[in-house]
Amino acid sequence: MTLVMDTAALQAFLQRDFGQVAEDFTVEQADASGVTLRLRVAARHLRPGGTVSGPAMFGLADVAMYLAILSRIGPVALAVTTNCAMDFMRKPQAGVDLLGRARVLKLGRRLAVGDVLLFSEGGSEPVARAGLTYAIPAA
């Protein structure tokens, strides 16, 4: 797939249009295979026991897929999540960031479908998997 927005453009979009969460995320990579997004894990992302909370992991998956879609269609701020199914498979490692690797599986005119694997930084096994569908507004 052809990229319309690269790593720098996606990060700038996040800063400009989603400043309320932009400080949590860094776009690590955007290429034909998808987008890798870093959640800079902070105390506010943890639940009792010191592990990353489910809502924080969902946020990473959702933003990663959103940016993967935008990398293909451009800065469409009104594209929205219509469905997400998430599997939590392992406890994330304490004290490290999480990486979300998003790939677009199908990109239509009105819907996009993809998946995201979440990893603790440095880990080889995913800690969670999400399948997401997005609605894309008419041009």
Side-chain angles (χ1 to χ4, degrees), residues 21-89:
V21 297
E23 71 182 35
D24 288 343
F25 300 108
T26 302
V27 181
E28 296 283 314
Q29 178 180 332
D31 59 27
S33 66
V35 167
T36 300
L37 185 67
R38 173 183 301 270
L39 171 64
R40 293 189 296 270
V41 176
R44 69 183 171 278
H45 301 118
L46 304 180
R47 66 176 188 83
T51 190
V52 178
S53 71
M57 288 192 276
F58 170 81
L60 173 58
D62 193 38
V63 175
M65 181 53 56
Y66 180 61
L67 294 178
I69 293 165
L70 295 189
S71 75
R72 273 48 175 193
I73 67 171
V76 180
L78 296 179
V80 296
T81 309
T82 59
N83 188 56
C84 178
M86 204 150 175
D87 299 305
F88 299 95
M89 300 182 291

Side-chain angles (χ1 to χ4, degrees), residues 107-122:
L107 180 59
R109 289 188 314 261
R110 299 301 301 259
L111 287 177
V113 178
D115 65 10
V116 182
L117 291 175
L118 304 183
F119 295 85
S120 291
E121 185 174 28

